[in-house]
Amino acid sequence: MTFWDHLEELRRVLLRCIIVVALFAILAFCFKDEVFWVIFLPKSPDFLPSIFGGMPDVQLINTELTRQFVVHMTTSFYVGLIVASPYIIFELYRFISPALYENERRYSTPLVIASYMMFMVGVLFSYFVLFPITFRFLAGYQVDNSVRNLISLESYIDTLTFLSLAMGIVFEIPILSWLLGRMGILHRGQMQQFRRHAIVTILIIAAIITPTSDAITLAIVSLPMYLLYEVSILLVPPIRRIESSASTQ
């Protein structure tokens, strides 16, 4: 295929992806009650165990005339994009795979599947654990009893989206480490040697990700990141394997 043939095929792939995303977005727009029931569920008093404290009585408000409709449309698009993401990944992989060598194709399929699964695990972790605890802390925090918290709808959606995206990216640490190990850039000895530096970096990243400053939320974010780092150490090859493979080539 010529360059223009590849470009035309890419246009078709993107067009099919856009159509599928649009169809799922329309469905999400029509099922408004079900979609926002899932979105607002983390602020329910019974969503977390009582050991995390009671959920404060917080009312979501809207201060702009068109904001609720805009939030409805953007949320429907995000839902359509998430639901259609497996199909998008499949289409993009089918477009790229003919250019890969046989050994690259053998590793690329499990890599793509594992990357998607780890991203979704991070999103679910944010939805079921991180965001409810964060919302419970911030919604109940007051500098004075005379100041009442009224959380805007846009602030709620933005915080949920940001934490879900951030944790989805964070959970890609083992996949990225394995890929760098396969490329010979990273090995197990390096990660073990810089474990202390990694712990400090993890605490800094966790402090940036979490909008709260309490130790509980910081520990909830940093502990999975540290466990992912330890798992990454087991996934990357030792230095001897990298050296032997390089000498063989």
Side-chain angles (χ1 to χ4, degrees), residues 28-230:
F29 188 87
C30 296
F31 289 91
K32 179 186 67 174
D33 295 337
E34 289 78 7
V35 169
F36 281 94
W37 177 83
V38 174
I39 292 175
F40 293 146
L41 189 60
K43 72 181 186 67
S44 173
D46 301 328
F47 192 78
L48 285 178
S50 58
I51 58 175
F52 293 99
M55 175 65 72
D57 184 15
V58 178
Q59 180 181 2
L60 297 181
I61 62 171
N62 175 56
T63 58
E64 299 181 20
L65 182 62
T66 61
R67 180 55 56 186
Q68 292 203 52
F69 180 74
V70 172
V71 169
H72 186 192
M73 292 188 62
T74 55
T75 303
S76 300
F77 170 75
Y78 291 147
V79 173
L81 187 63
I82 293 173
V83 176
S85 56
Y87 176 79
I88 296 174
I89 295 174
F90 169 75
E91 284 287 353
L92 294 177
Y93 177 75
R94 192 174 66 170
F95 175 77
I96 297 174
S97 59
L100 301 177
Y101 294 106
E102 185 62 30
N103 60 335
E104 294 175 338
R105 194 179 296 113
R106 186 172 67 252
Y107 289 110
S108 60
T109 302
L111 181 65
V112 171
I113 296 176
S115 300
Y116 177 78
M117 295 300 295
M118 290 301 295
F119 183 85
M120 294 307 299
V121 169
V123 171
L124 293 176
F125 174 79
S126 173
Y127 177 82
F128 284 101
V129 180
L130 179 58
F131 177 75
I133 295 177
T134 302
F135 181 82
R136 184 165 297 193
F137 175 82
L138 291 178
Y141 185 83
Q142 292 177 290
V143 296
D144 189 81
N145 292 330
S146 62
V147 181
R148 183 183 178 186
N149 288 329
L150 296 175
I151 312 300
S152 67
L153 174 64
E154 187 176 11
S155 175
Y156 181 93
I157 298 294
D158 289 345
T159 305
L160 176 62
T161 304
F162 170 76
L163 290 179
S164 300
L165 180 61
M167 293 310 299
I169 295 175
V170 164
F171 271 67
E172 298 290 340
I173 293 176
I175 307 299
L176 179 61
S177 301
W178 179 86
L179 185 60
L180 294 176
R182 291 289 306 177
M183 297 171 62
I185 301 175
L186 190 65
H187 60 80
R188 189 172 302 167
Q190 289 176 328
M191 299 190 69
Q192 292 173 342
Q193 180 182 358
F194 292 99
R195 181 183 275 113
R196 295 180 181 178
H197 303 80
I199 293 175
V200 176
T201 304
I202 286 172
L203 291 175
I204 294 174
I205 295 175
I208 295 174
I209 292 177
T210 55
T212 65
S213 58
D214 61 300
I216 296 179
T217 307
L218 185 64
I220 291 175
V221 177
S222 58
L223 182 58
M225 293 176 64
Y226 175 73
L227 294 178
L228 290 172
Y229 185 83
E230 293 294 334

